[in-house]
Amino acid sequence: MLYMNNGITYVRKDTKILFDPHKSVSEGIVCISHAHSDHAVPHKTKMLMTRQTLQISGIDGEVIEYNKKVQIGDDFITSYNAGHVLGSSQFMLDSGIVYTGDIRVEDSILFPGADILHADILIIESTFGLNHFEFPKHEEVCHEIAAWAKKNMDAGRIILMGGYSFGKAQELTKILSEVCDVVLVHPKIAAINKIYEKNGVKLGKYLSFDSDEAKEIMRDNFVAIVPTHMLNRKFVDAIEAQFSYPVVTGIATGWAKMYSFRNRGVDRAFQLSDHADFNQLIEYVEQSNPREVYTVHGYAKEFARQLRRRGFKAKPLSESTQRKLTDW
Ligand SMILES: [Zn+2]
C-alpha cells in the first residue's frame, strides 16, 4: 500500500517505510532524500540518509551509502545519486518502487545528473512539471552568470547574488570564484561550502563576510553571495549606503522562468535550477518505463496529465488528496 500523508508512506506486510515525512514520526523506517528543510526533519525512529545529508542536516540517523543494498524488513533498499544537491538520494526498493526525491537529470557544474532508475511504480517529483518550464542548458546559464558578473566587476560595481543557501549558493560560489579573486559569502553559506569541500567538491576561493580578510576585500568593489530571502531593496540600499560603489543584484532560481523578481529590486534573474525541467522529467519517466507513476510536489496534477497523454498510468499524490491508495 502506498499513500501520501506526511510524506510518502509505503506499507508491505510488517514493513512500513516513510519517505521524507515533514512532521516527526515515531514508528516505521524513515528515508530522508536530502537535507533541504522541507525533506529533512528529525524523527523518533530509525532514519536512513546518505553521509552527506547527515552532515548537512545535523540529524543523527543511520548512513546508507550510494549503490549499496540495505535490508528493511522483508524488502531491500538502495540509494542512488539524484543530482540535486550534495548527498541527494533517490531510493529504490527491490519490490519495484522508486522514489526520486528532488532530482536534476542534467550534469551540473558540481555533480553528475541523476541515475535513471527502472521502476515498476515510480514516485517522481514534479516541481517544474508544467510544459512552460524549459530551462536553458545548465552550462549556458553558468556562462551567462559569469559573463554578467565579470562585466559588472570591470565596471566597478558591487555584485550581490542571491541563491538558496544549500545547493544553489555552492554552484554560485564555483561560478563566481572563477570571475573574481575571492567571492564573499554569507556565514551560513560558508559553513555549507566547507561540507562540500570536505566531500571533495571543489568550489574555488571564497571567504565568509564576517572574516577580517573579507573586510579588506570590501574596501574595493566585490562579489558576494547571500541567501535569497536577504536580497531585497532595503538590503541593497544598506549596502550602497555602506560602500561607495554602485550595486547590481542577481538571483539564481528555476522560478526565473516565470518571475522577474524586479519587484524585489533584482536586476537579473537567471534560470539556474537544481531540479529537472519539464522535458527532463518526461525523459526520466520514459526511460524508467514504469507500470504506474505518482507525481509529487509542484505541478503534480499537470505533470500526471501530460504523462497520461503519453500513455502512462499516472496520478498526482498530494496532501490535499490524502490517502490516494493503491494496492497491487
Ligand atoms: Zn530540494
Side-chain angles (χ1 to χ4, degrees):
M1 188 168 69
L2 185 69
Y3 61 89
M4 188 163 184
N5 176 19
N6 186 20
I8 292 143
T9 306
Y10 168 66
V11 185
R12 190 183 181 212
K13 297 180 197 160
D14 296 333
T15 308
K16 184 177 185 182
I17 303 171
L18 300 101
F19 297 106
D20 289 341
H22 46 84
K23 284 182 280 188
S24 182
V25 297
S26 50
E27 53 163 37
I29 291 146
V30 169
C31 297
I32 296 178
S33 67
H34 65 290
H36 275 149
S37 56
D38 51 340
H39 295 257
V41 297
H43 301 277
K44 297 181 192 84
T45 186
K46 184 182 168 101
M47 293 171 280
L48 294 175
M49 68 196 89
T50 62
R51 187 178 308 282
Q52 297 88 340
T53 297
L54 189 135
Q55 289 166 358
I56 291 170
S57 67
I59 295 172
D60 190 16
E62 287 179 35
V63 169
I64 180 166
E65 304 283 0
Y66 283 126
N67 309 314
K68 285 212 177 111
K69 208 172 266 199
V70 171
Q71 185 159 15
I72 297 187
D74 301 330
D75 218 324
F76 288 90
I77 194 163
T78 315
S79 155
Y80 291 96
N81 170 40
H84 175 55
V85 289
L86 182 72
S88 62
S89 168
Q90 309 179 70
F91 293 107
M92 183 183 220
L93 292 166
D94 276 13
S95 52
I97 291 186
V98 166
Y99 168 63
T100 65
D102 289 350
I103 41 166
R104 171 165 49 196
V105 175
E106 198 183 5
D107 291 351
S108 76
I109 194 168
L110 302 180
F111 308 112
D115 299 334
I116 294 188
L117 306 173
H118 296 289
D120 182 34
I121 309 280
L122 175 66
I123 307 157
I124 187 167
E125 69 121 328
S126 48
T127 307
F128 293 117
L130 198 65
N131 55 9
H132 172 73
F133 288 104
E134 193 184 333
F135 300 137
K137 279 195 164 305
H138 181 80
E139 210 185 316
E140 271 171 37
V141 188
C142 295
H143 284 310
E144 205 186 336
I145 295 171
W148 172 82
K150 177 144 185 21
K151 191 184 84 187
N152 283 297
M153 268 303 272
D154 292 348
R157 299 184 182 110
I158 291 173
I159 295 147
L160 291 182
M161 193 74 198
Y164 203 85
S165 302
F166 168 38
K168 209 61 67 64
Q170 288 66 45
E171 291 175 16
L172 289 173
T173 305
K174 171 82 174 169
I175 296 165
L176 296 171
S177 65
E178 286 169 13
V179 173
C180 58
D181 294 339
V182 187
V183 56
L184 306 182
V185 302
H186 188 275
K188 191 175 165 190
I189 295 171
I192 299 172
N193 283 6
K194 278 201 188 104
I195 301 176
Y196 269 62
E197 291 179 319
K198 204 168 124 186
N199 284 280
V201 184
K202 293 194 173 72
L203 300 178
K205 197 151 175 13
Y206 66 88
L207 283 171
S208 177
F209 289 162
D210 54 6
S211 64
D212 291 339
E213 292 155 282
K215 281 171 195 135
E216 276 301 309
I217 286 163
M218 285 191 268
R219 288 174 186 275
D220 212 340
N221 63 323
F222 57 87
V223 181
I225 305 168
V226 297
T228 314
H229 66 91
M230 280 179 66
L231 205 62
N232 54 46
R233 283 185 197 281
K234 208 173 145 192
F235 179 68
V236 173
D237 288 349
I239 296 289
E240 241 164 1
Q242 193 179 344
F243 302 97
S244 48
Y245 293 93
V247 175
V248 285
T249 56
I251 197 167
T253 170
W255 296 105
K257 178 78 185 171
M258 201 171 243
Y259 307 106
S260 71
F261 297 91
R262 285 204 192 96
N263 60 334
R264 283 174 51 178
V266 173
D267 298 312
R268 275 289 296 271
F270 296 95
Q271 293 173 41
L272 187 74
S273 175
D274 44 23
H275 289 266
D277 72 359
F278 175 79
N279 290 329
Q280 290 160 0
L281 288 172
I282 293 282
E283 182 191 319
Y284 188 110
V285 178
E286 283 177 348
Q287 288 189 30
S288 172
N289 197 23
R291 187 166 53 84
E292 289 177 30
V293 190
Y294 294 90
T295 56
V296 286
H297 305 308
Y299 293 96
K301 240 195 276 177
E302 292 80 355
F303 188 53
R305 191 182 306 129
Q306 290 285 353
L307 289 172
R308 288 197 299 275
R309 282 186 191 169
R310 286 164 174 80
F312 290 99
K313 200 174 159 200
K315 267 194 233 171
L317 272 184
S318 70
E319 300 282 339
S320 59
T321 53
Q322 262 178 34
R323 295 187 169 270
K324 282 229 176 229
L325 302 177
T326 173
D327 266 302
W328 69 93

